[in-house]
Amino acid sequence: MKKLLNFRPILFIAISLCLGIASTYFYLCDNLVWAIFLSCVFLVSNIIYLILYANKNNLKEKLIFVCVFLMIFIVGSQGLINQISSYDKADLDGRIFNITARISQATESDYGKKLILDNAIVKSYQTKKLDYKISVNCYGENDFDVGDVVQFKANLYDNNYLYEQKFNVYDIEKGIKYHTSVSSEDIKVVDNKLTVFEKINLFIRDNLKKGLGEREFSVGYALLTGNSNFMDYDLVSSYRNAGVAHIFAVSGLHIGFLATVLTFLFKKININKTLKAIIITLILFLFSGVCGFSASSLRASVMTAVSLFAYAIGKRYDGITATSLSAILILLVSPTQLMCVGFQLSFMVVLGIILLANPIARFITKTIKVMPKKLATSIGVVISAQLFSMPISLYAFGEFSIISVIINLIFIPVVSVIFTLTLFAVLIGGLFNIANILLLPSNYIFKFINVCITAFDYDIFMVGGFVFGGAIIGYYLVCVIASGFMNIKHKMRFLTCAIMILVSVSSIFIVNVTERNKVSISVSYVDSLSTTLISTDKENTLIVSDINYVFSMAKLSRCSVYCGDRLDNVIVMGGYPIDLQVFLSKISSVFEVGQVCYYGQKQEVMERICKKSFPKTKISNYFDGQLLPIEQFDFRASLQGCAITSIIRDKKICVLSALEFVKPNLNDLDSSFDIMVCYDRSEVILNKYSPSIGVSYKYTSKYANAQESGNMLFKLN
C-alpha cells in the first residue's frame, strides 16, 4: 500500500526547521494564535508520520527521526531567538561617537547618498568595534564609493527588531543596527579597502557604465548583480507592473544560464567529472558573492551544485531534496531569512515549478494536441511559478500582474541571451579595455527592452486590493494535492481539491469583506517624515504633521499596500513647512491625489504654480480651527500645540494627534467614542486612553521605553 507521501528526510527536516522559526517569530510578535497553531501543526505532523510510516519492525528508527525533527524544530526556534537577542543587545543608546568605518554600499538618493558602513570602530569614553553595520543618510554632494574608509562624528541611533508592527527583517538580515544623518562636509576619507567580491562587482559596474547609456546601465547592472538601486522609481514600477521584475533578483534563471554556459565550455576540456563539478560550483558561489550572497542566488547555487555532483557520481537528482537542502543551509546561517520576501518568493517559485510545471504542460498538450511540447513546457513553467508566487506578491506588494504569463514567455528567452551576452562582453571588454565596443549590441537590446516595457501602461493588468489571510494554507495545499505530489487517487484528489477550493474562496471572501468595512489608522515616523493615514471604506486621508524638505518617498510608498494608489485628502500641517510643488511632485509619483489642504499663511503664487502643474488636484488653504470638508470626518486642526482632531461618527472613533508638546483636552470629548492618541514627539503614557483598542508601539532610538513614551506606530481596526 502506497503511503500518502514518499518519505524524504531532508524535506521533513526543512519543514521542521521552518515551523520552529515561524512559530517563534509569531510568538515574538505577540501573535500567540499563530504561534500555537504552527506548533500544533508540527506535533500533529509527527504523530501522523508515526501512524503512516512506523510499524513493529521500524518503530525505533522512526522514533529516532521524530527526535531529529524535534531537535531541528528547537534549533530553528532557538536560532531565531539568539539572532534577535544578539541584535537587541547591541544598543548604543544614541550617544555621540567618533566613527571610523568602511563603506560597503553606496546608493544615490534624493538628498545625496545612502551609505552602509561595516567594520566600524567607535570612540566615546572607550573604543569599541561594532558587530553590526551603520546606515548613514549622507546629504550634500559627494563622491563616496564602496571600499572607502571614512571618519566622522555623529549620534548613532539604534534600530529595534520591531518596526511598524512587524519584524525589521531587512535591517536584521543585512546586519544594519544603527542609523544616523551626516553632512558630506563632515565626512573624511582616510583609506580604501575592497573585498574580492566588491572588486569584481565594481569591475562589472564601471565597465557597464563605459558601454551602456544611463538607463540601459541601470537595467544591465540590476540584471547581472541584482542591484536595482540605480534604476529610477518609474522604471522599476514599469518592470514590476509588466510582471518581469524578477529578472533583477539573481536566482535560478541567472545561475542556470551561467551553469549551462560553463558546462558547455568544460565539455571541451577532458577532466574528471567530480573536479569539473567542483570548479563550476566554486564559480557559481563566487558569482553569488558578487551579488551579495542573496537568498535566491545561494538557493540556486546549492541546487545547481547538488545537480552537478549527482550527475558526476551517477545518482538521480531530486529537485525537492535539493531545494530543501538549500533552505536548511540558508536558515541555519540566518533564521530571519524565512521572513524575507525575497527568500519566500525564490523558494515558492522553485517549488511551484517542480510540482506543477509538468502536470500543467501535460494538461495543455492533452487539451491542445497541436501545441508543441516545448511551448507547453514553457507555459507550464511560467504558470506554475505565477500560481505559487501570487499570494506572496499580494501580501508584500498588494498586487500582481495577470498578463505576466504572456510577457514572460516572450521575455525569458530574450533575457537568457542578453544576460549571457552582456556578462561575457563586460568581462572580456573590461580585461582588454574594449567594453564600450563589445557592449554596443547589449546597449541597443536594453534600449529596445526599456521602450517595450515603458511604452505601454501595464498597470491596467494589475490585480490587487484583497488578501488571502489564513486561507493561504488551503491555497497551497490545493496546489500541492493537484500536482500529484501526494499519493491520492484521482477521484479523491479531485474531491479534496474541490472542497478545499470552496472553503478557501469562502474564507478569502469573508476576510476581504470584513477588512473593507474596517477603519484603518496607521501613524509612522522617521527622521524626515511623520504621517497619519486614515483609511475608510469611502476615502483615504493622509495627515503630514512633520516633514523635512529632503524626505524620501520610500516611507509613503508602503502605504499604497494598505490603501491603494489614491489619496482623497492630503493635509499638510506645521505652518507650510516645505515647497508644496516639490511635495506634490514626489507624492504624485506614487498616489493619485484628490485634494491638498495646507495650514499656515496663504501662498497664492505657489497655489497657481501647483494648480498648473497638477490640474486634477484641488489645493486649499486652511487656518487654525477650521473644519475641513472631508466625508465621514469632523476634522479640525490647529498649529500651535493643539491637537489635530478627527471624529468618525458612524464608527465611534476619535483620533488625536498632537503636533507639539501640549496635550489635547480629553475632557471635552464625548465619552461614547473610543479614543486613540498619538504624540509625534511628546513623552506621554498612551495606552491609558485606549482601554478597548489594541495599540502597537513603534520602538525608536530616542526613547528607552517606546511603550510609555515617544514615537510609535499603531493600526486600529
Side-chain angles (χ1 to χ4, degrees), residues 177-235:
K177 173 63 181 176
Y178 316 101
H179 69 273
T180 190
S181 296
V182 184
S183 169
S184 58
E185 296 176 355
D186 298 327
I187 298 179
K188 177 183 175 184
V189 178
V190 295
D191 200 357
N192 186 275
K193 296 178 181 178
L194 290 167
T195 66
V196 173
F197 300 127
E198 289 169 348
K199 286 179 180 178
I200 298 173
N201 188 294
L202 291 179
F203 176 85
I204 292 173
R205 187 195 72 182
D206 294 341
N207 282 285
L208 279 174
K209 283 184 176 180
K210 293 178 183 178
L212 302 179
E214 185 176 351
R215 291 196 109 195
E216 291 72 36
F217 157 75
S218 67
V219 175
Y221 186 57
L223 176 64
L224 293 187
T225 67
N227 186 344
S228 59
N229 290 326
F230 289 90
M231 297 177 67
D232 61 67
Y233 181 84
D234 291 336
L235 190 58

Side-chain angles (χ1 to χ4, degrees), residues 452-521:
C452 293
I453 294 296
T454 58
F456 188 75
D457 184 11
Y458 295 98
D459 193 50
I460 61 174
F461 297 108
M462 299 300 291
V463 175
F466 66 97
V467 294
F468 275 72
I472 192 172
I473 296 174
Y475 174 86
Y476 280 121
L477 278 175
V478 169
C479 292
V480 171
I481 293 170
S483 71
F485 182 69
M486 294 182 175
N487 298 317
I488 304 175
K489 292 182 179 180
H490 289 292
K491 289 184 179 179
M492 183 59 69
R493 186 189 307 168
F494 177 80
L495 181 62
T496 305
C497 287
I499 293 172
M500 293 191 70
I501 288 172
L502 181 63
V503 172
S504 298
V505 170
S506 300
S507 62
I508 290 171
F509 177 78
I510 292 169
V511 166
N512 284 277
V513 168
T514 305
E515 286 292 326
R516 286 188 181 278
N517 291 328
K518 289 181 178 178
V519 176
S520 173
I521 302 176

Side-chain angles (χ1 to χ4, degrees), residues 390-415:
M390 181 183 66
I392 299 172
S393 295
L394 276 172
Y395 175 76
F397 309 115
E399 57 189 3
F400 70 96
S401 173
I402 59 174
I403 201 176
S404 61
V405 172
I406 298 172
I407 296 176
N408 275 286
L409 285 172
I410 302 168
F411 203 69
I412 296 303
V414 176
V415 171

